[in-house]
Amino acid sequence: MRVYAGLSLEKGRLFFSFVSIEKNKIISCIDKEQRLSYKGINLGDIIAANIDAIRDFIFQQEKEHSFRTDGIFFQVPKEYAKMRIAEDTVPVSLHSGEKKLTRRDIQFAKRQIENIVLELNEYCIHHLVLEYRIGKNIFYNEPLGEWAKNIFLKSMLISVDSSLYDTFKDCFNNVDLRFSGFVYESIADYATVYDDCSNMHSFIVNIKEKNTLLSCFLGRRILFEKIYEFGEDSIVREVSKRIGLSEGIIRNLIANYVSFSEIPFEKEITIKDEDKYFNISVATISGIVKGVVRERLIKVVDDIAEASKDGEWRVVFLGAFSGKEGFYDFIRDCFDMNISNSNLLNKRHSSFGCVYYGKRPFLERDTLGCSFWDKIVNIYKEYF
């Protein structure tokens, strides 16, 4: 079975998604998590220090589930990437005169934009074309079959430092694993739940350990990103403070008992805190968790409402709490949000979106997901 792995690092936790994709369909997905002993400062240093443990963990999964990892995609955090909008008119080939555009010509034009804009120490990981222009004609998809000598491109380029890319490639090659590339943080979040270029505002709220990332997409464009200084850790700390129990116990309660649905008050569980045993109502602990989550999300929801007031929109939550029973009903009731078209009860981590987009970069290519006959038509359109 051919399997690709998506990796995502949060604090000292490395999330893995092992995904088998055949003919644009997900055959299987295995999600795992590994604690890293060395946290480090720089992302490259962290991977270099833990590469043997990562290799052993991957080989263990291969043995247990009988597969071979054909490639590894890594979700690169926002702080390690550079995003810019670039636009220019470039030739579509090295030859003079007009020609009928093929996909090879489009790729050649995109490389010219990258060569003009990027510094020598930058490595382009995503090239999202927002607009093509030939003369006075504007195209939002590849203008295959059109005649042109030059073409104008307006693009969103996302790059990383070349040394970071080289470090990852060398580290994985040294342990007989193939590094297939980076996927930008927000794009991996998006691909975890969506697989289209929608004309409605698409919001993704990822509640991570240290912070929360709100991303907004429209078509192929990342409209904006915003980081909020709260995450699972700060929510756990606040609940621990209000209840008077250790953070470890609170994490266990949230993982195993807390629900965002209505719970009978008389339902209790017995807890051991140090040398003491006592009973606590599941409804009480759930109510406190819901209260803290609501307080933290008020600003996020306000920003979504402000950004989406002029058009259709959709929203989905990832990370902590999003897979809990009743979470979306809780959001809908607390904030009076119409989220009927959300992906409810999403339990996937963005490491899944990392490998899914790595194999199917639908924001950067136009014919992904086409039927066999559609692809034949596109090929003929390029040359005839």
Side-chain angles (χ1 to χ4, degrees):
M1 182 169 61
R2 296 175 63 86
V3 170
Y4 293 84
L7 276 64
S8 178
L9 181 65
E10 285 187 30
K11 211 173 174 181
R13 300 162 71 187
L14 189 60
F15 295 90
F16 296 76
S17 288
F18 298 95
V19 183
S20 176
I21 302 175
E22 294 182 12
K23 297 180 180 178
N24 295 323
K25 293 184 178 179
I26 301 168
I27 305 302
S28 62
C29 179
I30 302 169
D31 294 316
K32 296 290 181 179
E33 177 185 339
Q34 181 188 31
R35 282 281 179 183
L36 299 184
S37 56
Y38 174 78
K39 296 182 175 60
I41 299 175
N42 179 275
L43 183 60
D45 293 340
I46 294 172
I47 295 303
N50 288 276
I51 191 63
D52 290 336
I54 293 171
R55 173 204 59 199
D56 293 344
F57 187 84
I58 291 175
F59 287 175
Q60 177 187 350
Q61 300 306 313
E62 290 179 340
K63 183 176 181 180
E64 289 181 5
H65 300 281
S66 301
F67 65 80
R68 167 75 178 171
T69 305
D70 290 314
I72 294 171
F73 296 92
F74 195 94
Q75 183 180 14
V76 65
K78 175 180 170 62
E79 59 266 29
Y80 287 93
K82 181 184 292 186
M83 183 188 301
R84 54 165 71 86
I85 299 293
E87 53 184 66
D88 209 336
T89 300
V90 294
V92 295
S93 76
L94 296 174
H95 306 290
S96 60
E98 288 192 343
K99 62 169 299 186
K100 205 169 190 177
L101 298 182
T102 67
R103 184 159 289 106
R104 181 178 295 177
D105 300 323
I106 300 298
Q107 292 303 317
F108 179 82
K110 290 169 69 173
R111 284 196 298 273
Q112 302 314 300
I113 295 290
E114 294 170 17
N115 291 338
I116 292 169
V117 174
L118 298 180
E119 303 290 340
L120 291 176
N121 64 340
E122 290 182 85
Y123 181 87
C124 186
I125 59 173
H126 299 298
H127 188 146
L128 288 68
V129 180
L130 310 178
E131 178 185 306
Y132 300 91
R133 196 181 303 163
I134 302 174
K136 295 182 179 179
N137 297 318
I138 296 176
F139 304 87
Y140 296 103
N141 292 317
E142 295 174 347
L144 302 177
E146 298 290 331
W147 286 87
K149 178 181 179 180
N150 300 308
I151 186 171
F152 171 89
L153 271 70
K154 183 177 182 179
S155 301
M156 176 176 282
L157 302 180
I158 303 176
S159 62
V160 297
D161 193 292
S162 298
S163 63
L164 181 65
Y165 178 85
D166 292 340
T167 296
F168 268 72
K169 187 174 181 180
D170 291 343
C171 284
F172 283 102
N173 283 346
N174 289 339
V175 293
D176 296 324
L177 291 168
R178 178 172 173 262
F179 179 60
S180 298
F182 290 115
V183 177
Y184 183 58
E185 184 172 18
S186 292
I187 291 179
D189 286 354
Y190 185 88
T192 301
V193 288
Y194 301 126
D195 62 355
D196 59 5
C197 305
S198 175
N199 289 323
M200 67 172 67
H201 289 77
S202 302
F203 297 94
I204 307 96
V205 182
N206 192 347
I207 306 174
K208 300 181 291 182
E209 276 203 69
K210 288 176 57 180
N211 54 40
T212 293
L213 174 63
L214 169 65
S215 307
C216 178
F217 286 71
L218 182 64
R220 301 177 191 275
R221 180 195 293 263
I222 302 175
L223 281 187
F224 71 85
E225 302 165 296
K226 187 170 182 179
I227 294 177
Y228 302 83
E229 296 303 321
F230 75 88
E232 184 181 1
D233 282 351
S234 64
I235 291 173
V236 167
R237 281 196 300 271
E238 182 60 27
V239 174
S240 173
K241 187 189 304 181
R242 295 186 186 186
I243 296 181
L245 296 175
S246 69
E247 292 181 18
I249 290 178
I250 296 300
R251 288 185 184 278
N252 180 60
L253 290 173
I254 290 175
N256 297 299
Y257 299 102
V258 165
S259 172
F260 286 83
S261 298
E262 292 297 322
I263 299 175
F265 187 80
E266 59 273 11
K267 183 178 180 180
E268 294 185 339
I269 54 174
T270 302
I271 296 173
K272 180 183 180 182
D273 188 13
E274 295 180 350
D275 295 327
K276 299 178 182 178
Y277 288 87
F278 56 92
N279 293 335
I280 187 171
S281 166
V282 177
T284 298
I285 182 69
S286 295
I288 294 173
V289 170
K290 288 192 285 186
V292 175
V293 170
R294 181 184 183 281
E295 293 168 9
R296 299 297 189 270
L297 287 178
I298 287 175
K299 177 58 177 171
V300 180
V301 173
D302 286 346
D303 289 341
I304 291 174
E306 177 65 23
S308 61
K309 62 184 180 182
D310 296 326
E312 290 187 288
W313 59 279
R314 57 187 181 179
V315 61
V316 73
F317 289 77
L318 297 176
F321 313 109
S322 63
K324 287 290 183 181
E325 182 181 355
F327 179 79
Y328 277 90
D329 289 333
F330 163 76
I331 296 293
R332 187 182 293 112
D333 293 342
C334 280
F335 302 108
D336 192 26
M337 294 181 71
N338 178 17
I339 55 174
S340 58
N341 53 4
S342 295
N343 294 34
L344 303 182
L345 288 177
N346 183 72
K347 296 183 179 181
R348 285 175 174 159
H349 192 273
S350 53
S351 55
F352 168 82
C354 181
V355 65
Y356 187 70
Y357 188 84
K359 290 300 295 176
R360 301 188 69 251
F362 53 86
L363 297 177
E364 299 171 66
R365 300 181 189 172
D366 291 336
T367 57
L368 287 174
C370 292
S371 69
F372 172 77
W373 294 111
D374 287 337
K375 291 178 181 178
I376 293 295
V377 169
N378 278 318
I379 291 172
Y380 273 84
K381 184 180 177 182
E382 293 180 18
Y383 293 101
F384 298 99

